[in-house]
Amino acid sequence: MKTYIKNIFIAAALSGSFLSCKKDNPNITDEVYLTTTNVSTTWLTGMRRQMALTLNQVIVNTELVSDNYYNNRTLSNKVFDIPQIDNFDLDVNNIQSAIQRLRELSEYGLTTVVNADKTTTAVQKAEMYFINAFSHVLSGELFTGLPGSAKGAVLSPAEHYALAITALDQALALQTDANEKLAYTLLKARIYYDMGDAAQAKTFATAAMANPLLLKQQAFDGQNAAANDFQTYLFSSTTNEFAPLPRLDFLDPKYYNTGTIALDQKPVSYIKSEEAYLIVAEAQASGNELTAAQTTLKNLLTEVIAKRPVVSLSDVKETRNGGNRTDYPLTAVKVRFDENDIERTGYVLNRKIANINISTISGTMVTADDINLATTQDALLYLVYRMRQEIFISEGRRMTDLGIKFPVSQTEQLNNQNVKPADLVAQIPSFIPKNREMDDFKNNTTTGVVTMKHDMNKVLVANKKAKEIFPFIN
């Protein structure tokens, strides 16, 4: 019996480019595809394409939910900024579908494709296991629960993390490239971090620090229907779709083009050594090893962030003209993180008078002096989360730090009898401000000071015993 269940993906993989044809080919069955030359190679090409599409869904939507960015127009989700997250929201289903497709493609590759291709290498299998693990990490971090198989039982985040660890162990056993092994090790540290296992997270994070500039990026392809969507929203669109919270203005845009848009798609850094230092520092601060935490954070500044690239970019066309807010500061002004904060400079850039300097991998305004002055657990945890926010901006990580998770989608519920009513409710901690307040600010044009409604890192620390956040404390 001929099967056509993966025709769309097979047609894409066979075309040979990184991101390719999206059309069905009714002449290509699973049986035909599996007899083609180097089928594991083409399948991995398609899996990388799906990784790009999945990161698009994750980054665009979770950055909106968080306090990093707000929707300054109407093109993307209209309610995530509130934050309002409904199981019937199409974007919830789109994110879930992208993650589950990534998981299913990795499973098919490991159970079927590699068995059909005798030329499959150990490194190719390692990458498939890694991608499978990453799909489970996203499932656990972003959702209250997700099925682990088609129409299967809804698995808890802890169950997804366990599956991710198993897949990563298999990937590590097969991988021969030293840097790739370190990247897998860092992802393992991230999983133990998510699980609240400080000892294991610290062990694997420390191991990953063997390469202080460790970096794993996802490429995009603007010519073949897989552009970096967040780059479009931040820079390439003629209308400025998203705007950052003004205190994060200095980090925007992380993605941009200087030439033809389709040919100049910036990659996303989704595994980087900065995370290893942050995990170790948080474990130390949570365990009241305050001096050690200070040292780790200062090492992060000197050993990693100071050595990451900074580019000079012309951003004169940036006008924050999306229309939802018309009071965004367009020249250099002072900021206050909330009403009780001091006035700070350097956070809002004047893009009209000269090029701006942008950190393309990681940047922060936290200094060694700030770290030296943080002599309590709360002060250090505040800096850890502020640095996490600044370092991971535009990478889809902040929503998880805020303790927010998506529900299982209504579409899944209608097709899967295993979905229970409790699975359909988003996790939004009680301390999260509503009514778009996380993104709110006041621009006093008389004094030249912009004040944020909330300093969410201060809110997090004040609620550090809440079960949804601070995994090493809770």
Side-chain angles (χ1 to χ4, degrees):
M1 177 179 178
K2 294 183 178 180
T3 56
Y4 298 82
I5 57 173
K6 293 182 172 59
N7 281 353
I8 296 176
F9 187 77
I10 290 170
L14 278 173
S15 72
S17 64
F18 163 54
L19 301 169
S20 43
C21 173
K22 297 190 299 177
K23 298 181 181 299
D24 281 284
N25 184 339
N27 297 312
I28 301 177
T29 64
D30 285 17
E31 290 82 357
V32 171
Y33 173 69
L34 292 171
T35 63
T36 60
T37 304
N38 297 322
V39 64
S40 289
T41 300
T42 58
W43 192 259
L44 264 175
T45 298
M47 286 176 63
R48 293 173 191 138
R49 176 185 195 275
Q50 184 58 38
M51 178 71 92
L53 299 178
T54 301
L55 286 174
N56 273 341
Q57 286 292 334
V58 168
I59 293 171
V60 169
N61 288 294
T62 63
E63 291 293 296
L64 275 187
V65 171
S66 80
D67 57 333
N68 283 352
Y69 282 89
Y70 64 91
N71 187 351
N72 200 31
R73 197 172 172 231
T74 57
L75 186 61
S76 193
N77 194 283
K78 317 300 188 298
V79 298
F80 280 178
D81 279 326
I82 295 175
Q84 176 183 324
I85 304 175
D86 302 302
N87 62 74
F88 52 80
D89 193 307
L90 290 178
D91 286 317
V92 170
N93 188 64
N94 289 339
I95 303 162
Q96 175 181 329
S97 296
I99 294 171
Q100 290 184 310
R101 187 173 296 116
L102 188 65
R103 172 184 55 75
E104 290 189 356
L105 293 177
S106 66
E107 291 171 350
Y108 186 79
L110 288 164
T111 60
T112 305
V113 174
V114 299
N115 293 327
D117 185 356
K118 302 306 179 185
T119 68
T120 303
T121 67
V123 169
Q124 288 175 321
K125 289 182 67 175
E127 185 174 355
M128 291 183 189
Y129 276 117
F130 166 77
I131 291 174
N132 179 264
F134 195 73
S135 72
H136 285 292
V137 172
L138 294 178
S139 299
E141 288 183 343
L142 302 181
F143 285 81
T144 58
L146 275 186
S149 59
K151 299 184 180 180
V154 175
L155 304 183
S156 68
E159 291 172 307
H160 280 290
Y161 296 146
L163 290 170
I165 291 291
T166 298
L168 274 179
D169 285 341
Q170 292 168 302
L172 281 162
L174 292 164
Q175 183 57 256
T176 57
D177 181 270
N179 272 327
E180 282 295 294
K181 288 174 79 75
L182 287 179
Y184 296 2
T185 299
L186 181 49
L187 183 59
K188 203 169 178 180
R190 172 173 162 182
I191 297 166
Y192 281 116
Y193 172 86
D194 290 331
M195 296 169 68
D197 189 332
Q200 291 279 59
K202 188 176 176 182
T203 295
F204 287 104
T206 301
M209 288 162 64
N211 179 359
L213 297 179
L214 180 67
L215 183 66
K216 188 171 179 63
Q217 295 182 308
Q218 174 60 51
F220 292 83
D221 187 343
Q223 293 181 292
N224 292 289
N228 182 337
D229 285 349
F230 213 56
Q231 177 174 318
T232 301
Y233 288 134
L234 298 186
F235 190 87
S236 301
S237 172
T238 55
T239 303
N240 304 141
E241 312 291 348
F242 289 2
L245 193 65
R247 68 174 176 83
L248 300 170
D249 178 86
F250 71 100
L251 294 164
D252 176 84
K254 182 171 275 188
Y255 316 118
Y256 59 91
N257 64 280
T258 55
T260 304
I261 294 173
L263 300 177
D264 190 5
Q265 293 290 302
K266 295 299 187 289
V268 166
S269 305
Y270 69 104
I271 294 180
K272 55 189 184 182
S273 57
E274 287 86 339
E275 182 155 22
Y277 287 77
L278 289 165
I279 288 172
V280 171
E282 186 171 347
Q284 291 166 333
S286 299
N288 283 310
E289 301 173 44
L290 305 186
T291 301
Q294 288 176 315
T295 299
T296 300
L297 290 178
K298 286 185 286 186
N299 289 343
L300 169 58
L301 293 180
T302 57
E303 295 175 6
V304 187
I305 295 176
K307 298 178 181 180
R308 292 302 196 189
V310 176
V311 300
S312 177
L313 174 69
S314 174
D315 198 21
V316 295
K317 295 181 180 179
E318 178 61 80
T319 60
R320 310 296 186 199
N321 66 343
N324 286 351
R325 289 199 71 148
T326 58
D327 59 343
Y328 199 98
L330 298 177
T331 59
V333 295
K334 296 178 180 179
V335 304
R336 294 192 299 165
F337 288 5
D338 63 16
E339 287 284 355
N340 299 313
D341 192 32
I342 61 172
E343 294 178 359
R344 306 169 186 257
T345 60
Y347 288 81
V348 176
L349 306 179
N350 190 338
R351 300 161 192 266
K352 301 302 179 185
I353 60 174
N355 281 13
I356 59 172
N357 291 326
I358 288 294
S359 299
T360 59
I361 296 173
S362 295
T364 182
M365 290 286 278
V366 173
T367 66
D369 287 341
D370 294 327
I371 296 168
N372 288 332
L373 291 171
T375 57
T376 66
Q377 183 187 72
D378 282 1
L380 279 166
L381 288 174
Y382 174 86
L383 287 185
V384 167
Y385 275 76
R386 180 180 154 193
M387 292 177 79
R388 284 181 66 89
Q389 181 175 28
E390 293 176 359
I391 287 167
F392 295 138
I393 191 171
S394 303
E395 294 170 9
R397 302 296 300 280
R398 178 64 169 178
M399 188 185 87
T400 300
D401 283 354
L402 294 172
I404 300 173
K405 290 180 183 285
F406 295 115
V408 175
S409 75
Q410 184 184 66
T411 301
E412 181 74 37
Q413 177 204 24
L414 295 174
N415 292 278
N416 185 349
Q417 62 182 1
N418 292 296
V419 178
K420 305 296 190 294
D423 300 322
L424 302 172
V425 181
Q427 174 178 292
I428 302 178
S430 60
F431 58 79
I432 295 293
K434 304 301 191 294
N435 302 316
R436 305 182 194 276
E437 288 188 6
M438 282 199 295
D439 301 314
D440 200 9
F441 58 87
K442 292 180 181 178
N443 184 3
N444 189 325
T445 56
T446 302
T447 62
V449 179
V450 178
T451 303
M452 311 307 123
K453 178 76 172 179
H454 298 283
D455 181 345
M456 285 307 300
N457 295 310
K458 187 184 293 185
V459 172
L460 289 175
V461 172
N463 292 275
K464 65 181 181 181
K465 293 297 182 67
K467 61 181 175 59
E468 301 93 343
I469 55 174
F470 288 88
F472 293 155
I473 290 178
N474 299 297

